[in-house]
Amino acid sequence: MSEVELLRTIQPIWVNRVVQSMARGAGLREDLRIQAESFFTKLEQALETGDPAWLDPILTDWSLSLTLTDLEVSASSVLKFTILLQQITIETCQEVLDDHQALLMITTLLPIFHYIIEKSAQLEMEAKVSHLTAQLEQTRQNLEKLDKSKSDFIAVAAHELKTPLTLIEGYTAMLREMLEQQNGINHYLTMVDGISNGARRLRTIIDDMIDVSLIDNRLLSLNIQPVWINRLLQLLQAELQSALQERHQTLIIQSFPGVDELTFADPERLLQVFRNVLVNAIKFTPDHGTITINGRKLPGFIEVSITDEGIGIDAEDQLIIFEKFSRIGNVALHSSGKTKFKGGGPGLGLHIAKGIIEAHGGAIWVESNGYDEEKCPGSTFHILVPHHLEPPDMKTARLFASLLTPSTKTGAYESE
């Protein structure tokens, strides 16, 4: 009797055992019987031809029919089923056939079942990976929607807050003017100054919220003009002088290659980037500390580095600080002022700086040896500003033609 004939001998008992082992209800038994008979037919073809790939279609169907519960649990459903089929096959051969025939059949079928089990594991793993990939994609889309809804809320809230803030500023200015016309009421003027300072700080926060919304929705527009980085740094030094004096800190601006060279960028936005980083340096540097601005010229870029003698940043926080609403300062010090030591804030400055510099085509990152309030290892922020020697368009070229070198002028107007 051939091996195929021996296999057919065990078929009725094999099918019944599979059905009894796996199915509980009558409907399920009938469906499983069809599946078992189909599998057995493919097993015969594999045995007859010596090619176990005959079983691929039915194994693929089983892996594709896995339920959501099957895919989410760690156990392998299809793999367990095929192992059970192998076990039932061996037991049936031993009971139905004589010892010699049973040994022959088991020896012949084991390589085929080895292939079946490996193929089942592969197909089930692919199905689970595909399911997890789809879940991750859905999660990513949900997070994007959530982030967009947050950005939309920030934009709406910021614009809504601007209207009452404008009224407060307007009436405060009128009240100041009235009080200044009268003498002997300086204490009222002090109160008005307090209102003005609070309103000014609130406007800064609202403007930052609007900038965050523009950056997150890729709507930030740049007003490209000729820029000299050294002039921006000088403006900032004058602007922050009172804060530096209050904290008894020293700001040193080194001269470095490229700092006094013309480039095309948005001066207001670049000033905002440097300001946000410098304010952070002042905030996290103890009194009497030093902040140093240096840099270098790289191919296509001017790198500006701002180094402080502050409390430093842990390695795990060095990426987080560029995310919106992130902060490593003490929340309890939130209202203590933007440049007070370790003062709190909404955590928008570095996120905005990153968005602005990336909109220019540059980059920003930080280096620090860690966080230590006693040793103060400090931090260095690197700001990579693209060095554009030519205007971005003909309109800008005409507007600033007098500032361009003859070679640049020629290059700019040759395309007309």
Side-chain angles (χ1 to χ4, degrees):
M1 189 178 292
S2 69
E3 294 167 347
V4 175
E5 290 173 333
L6 288 173
L7 185 62
R8 288 172 184 162
T9 302
I10 70 168
Q11 180 176 3
I13 299 174
W14 183 91
V15 171
N16 285 332
R17 285 196 173 182
V18 171
V19 173
Q20 293 297 326
S21 299
M22 298 298 296
R24 295 294 178 263
L28 289 175
R29 287 176 186 168
E30 187 57 35
D31 181 62
L32 186 57
R33 183 177 295 277
I34 295 170
Q35 291 291 328
E37 289 174 349
S38 177
F39 177 88
F40 203 91
T41 301
K42 298 294 183 183
L43 187 62
E44 283 184 23
Q45 292 172 324
L47 182 61
E48 194 169 5
T49 61
D51 183 8
W54 278 96
L55 290 139
D56 285 1
I58 193 166
L59 296 176
T60 302
D61 288 343
W62 287 352
S63 66
L64 293 175
S65 64
L66 289 169
T67 65
L68 186 61
T69 304
D70 293 331
L71 292 168
E72 289 179 346
V73 298
S74 58
S76 301
S77 302
V78 177
L79 181 60
K80 284 173 64 178
F81 184 52
T82 52
I83 292 173
L84 178 62
L85 292 180
Q86 175 183 259
Q87 181 183 341
I88 291 173
T89 303
I90 293 172
E91 291 174 353
T92 307
C93 285
Q94 289 173 336
E95 292 182 15
V96 175
L97 305 175
D98 61 41
D99 292 345
H100 175 73
Q101 291 173 334
L103 181 61
L104 176 63
M105 282 304 304
I106 292 169
T107 306
T108 306
L109 291 175
L110 276 179
I112 298 176
F113 270 102
H114 179 72
Y115 173 87
I116 291 170
I117 290 169
E118 280 195 343
K119 190 69 176 180
S120 299
Q122 176 193 338
L123 291 171
E124 187 164 9
M125 182 58 67
E126 288 174 357
K128 289 189 174 184
V129 168
S130 178
H131 173 69
L132 288 173
T133 303
Q135 279 190 319
L136 287 172
E137 177 60 23
Q138 184 62 48
T139 302
R140 185 190 64 79
Q141 292 177 4
N142 291 339
L143 287 173
E144 281 186 355
K145 289 178 183 177
L146 179 62
D147 195 56
K148 187 177 185 309
S149 67
K150 287 180 180 178
S151 295
D152 291 343
F153 169 77
I154 291 169
V156 171
H159 283 290
E160 289 294 327
L161 286 169
K162 287 189 81 171
T163 301
L165 178 60
T166 302
L167 290 173
I168 294 170
E169 290 174 333
Y171 283 116
T172 303
M174 292 168 61
L175 183 59
R176 176 189 296 280
E177 187 176 344
M178 291 172 59
L179 291 173
E180 285 176 347
Q181 292 173 0
Q182 303 178 37
N183 296 321
I185 50 173
N186 290 335
H187 58 286
Y188 289 127
L189 284 173
T190 302
M191 296 178 188
V192 171
D193 286 340
I195 296 172
S196 295
N197 291 336
R200 188 160 47 249
R201 186 171 179 187
L202 181 57
R203 178 166 291 279
T204 301
I205 294 172
I206 290 171
D207 289 341
D208 284 350
M209 290 168 67
I210 292 172
D211 283 343
V212 166
S213 176
L214 292 173
I215 290 167
D216 288 352
N217 291 291
R218 296 178 178 85
L219 297 174
L220 185 70
S221 59
L222 300 175
N223 181 22
I224 302 300
Q225 301 176 34
V227 177
W228 291 265
I229 290 176
N230 61 336
R231 298 183 186 180
L232 297 181
L233 297 178
Q234 288 164 8
L235 282 173
L236 273 179
Q237 187 173 31
E239 178 185 325
L240 298 173
Q241 194 59 42
S242 61
L244 291 164
Q245 289 175 352
E246 182 183 348
R247 298 288 312 285
H248 305 286
Q249 293 174 343
T250 303
L251 176 62
I252 300 173
I253 301 178
Q254 304 278 10
S255 180
F256 58 88
V259 70
D260 56 353
E261 294 185 19
L262 179 147
T263 185
F264 283 89
D266 187 325
E268 289 294 330
R269 290 299 188 181
L270 278 189
L271 189 67
Q272 189 177 359
V273 171
F274 296 139
R275 180 189 295 116
N276 289 354
V277 177
L278 267 174
V279 166
N280 250 39
I282 294 171
K283 183 191 301 183
F284 291 104
T285 298
D287 292 355
H288 305 285
T290 299
I291 299 165
T292 304
I293 300 179
N294 208 334
R296 56 180 176 166
K297 188 175 178 182
L298 300 171
F301 294 93
I302 299 171
E303 181 184 336
V304 180
S305 59
I306 300 176
T307 302
D308 61 55
E309 296 179 347
I311 58 180
I313 306 169
D314 279 335
E316 59 267 25
D317 291 326
Q318 291 177 20
L319 289 177
I320 297 173
I321 59 172
F322 292 103
E323 297 177 4
K324 59 178 177 284
F325 301 117
S326 67
R327 56 175 178 264
I328 58 175
N330 187 349
V331 179
L333 301 174
H334 179 80
S335 59
S336 64
K338 290 182 68 173
T339 55
K340 298 294 184 183
F341 183 47
K342 298 190 295 179
L348 299 176
L350 292 179
H351 178 72
I352 292 170
K354 181 174 182 288
I356 292 172
I357 206 67
E358 287 181 353
H360 278 83
I364 182 172
W365 69 96
V366 66
E367 290 179 331
S368 178
N369 290 327
Y371 177 87
D372 191 323
E373 292 194 19
E374 293 183 1
K375 295 181 180 179
C376 290
S379 305
T380 298
F381 282 82
H382 300 270
I383 304 166
L384 212 56
V385 181
H387 192 192
H388 297 301
L389 299 176
E390 296 186 0
D393 51 52
M394 295 307 302
K395 182 179 178 181
T396 309
R398 292 193 190 95
L399 189 60
F400 300 103
S402 60
L403 297 174
L404 304 178
T405 61
S407 59
T408 307
K409 287 182 186 178
T410 305
Y413 286 98
E414 279 178 352
S415 59
E416 282 191 297

